[in-house]
Amino acid sequence: MSVDTRHAIVGSGNIGSALARLFARAGVEVSIANTRGPQSITELAASLGPTVRAMTLAEALASDVIFMAIPFGAVEAFGNALPDWNGKIVVDTTNAHYAANADDILKGRLSSQYAADVLPGAQIVKAFNQLPAQTLAAEVPSGQGKRVVFVSSDSGEASSRIAELAGTLGLSAVELGRIDEGGRLIQVPGALVLRDFTEQPLT
């Protein structure tokens, strides 16, 4: 992934904070924003170090890769934040299963297919959602391998870019292919949800 790529996390709850912690640990710059304004996350950003910057939502949405770390019920409003999402990779970390009215919203679609509908033009990547936030952010003890995250997208290019970023963040990415195939496995209650795997070195 280009060094010029700008990354942003939208959402400062459990998953957003866990992602910010991964970026900080890897020394990779990222902005973090929410709907309450940067003053509400200044303390969090400061606690993580100089590579994590609190920004306004508008500033964060100018980034190239945006982690959508918000409740599933807020996805539609998030989609309305930009008139179109062309040229942006949006990493969908949501789990619709926990939303009270998910079935009414999805109407048979997978959650990332719904996200693609309400974020027109975005390349949607499903990733970083199969583990609890605390597990995702926890360091794997030295010598015990790298934590596995699963990546799925209808865009092979976007999938590869997020898999590469996951590697930069100290994780081991497994690409699962299209959302209607591999992505189904990491949507609750898919077979890979809540599976905490580590990749061991073969040598």
Side-chain angles (χ1 to χ4, degrees), residues 2 6 25 41 50 53 97-98 112 123 169 174 183 187 191 198 200:
S2 167
R6 294 172 299 168
R25 190 180 298 144
I41 41 178
R53 292 171 297 158
H97 180 76
Y98 303 112
S112 293
Q123 293 176 292
L169 298 180
V174 176
Q187 175 170 303
T198 52
Q200 305 295 326

Side-chain angles (χ1 to χ4, degrees), residues 18-102:
L19 288 166
R21 198 169 300 282
L22 289 172
F23 274 88
R25 190 180 298 144
V28 179
E29 287 195 357
V30 68
S31 56
I32 185 167
N34 60 22
T35 55
R36 299 188 304 279
Q39 69 283 352
S40 67
I41 41 178
T42 303
E43 190 174 331
L44 169 66
S47 73
L48 293 174
T51 60
V52 180
R53 292 171 297 158
M55 285 191 171
T56 66
L57 181 58
E59 289 170 327
L61 292 177
S63 299
D64 309 292
V65 175
I66 300 167
F67 287 80
M68 184 170 67
I70 59 178
F72 177 73
V75 171
E76 183 176 6
F78 180 73
N80 292 331
L82 288 178
D84 76 72
W85 293 79
N86 284 304
K88 297 190 182 297
I89 294 175
V90 175
V91 182
D92 175 17
T93 74
T94 66
N95 281 309
H97 180 76
Y98 303 112
N101 58 340

Side-chain angles (χ1 to χ4, degrees), residues 25 35-36 44 50 124 143 164 178 184 193 201:
R25 190 180 298 144
T35 55
R36 299 188 304 279
L44 169 66
I124 303 293
E164 182 185 341
R178 293 178 52 84
R184 194 177 294 275
V193 174

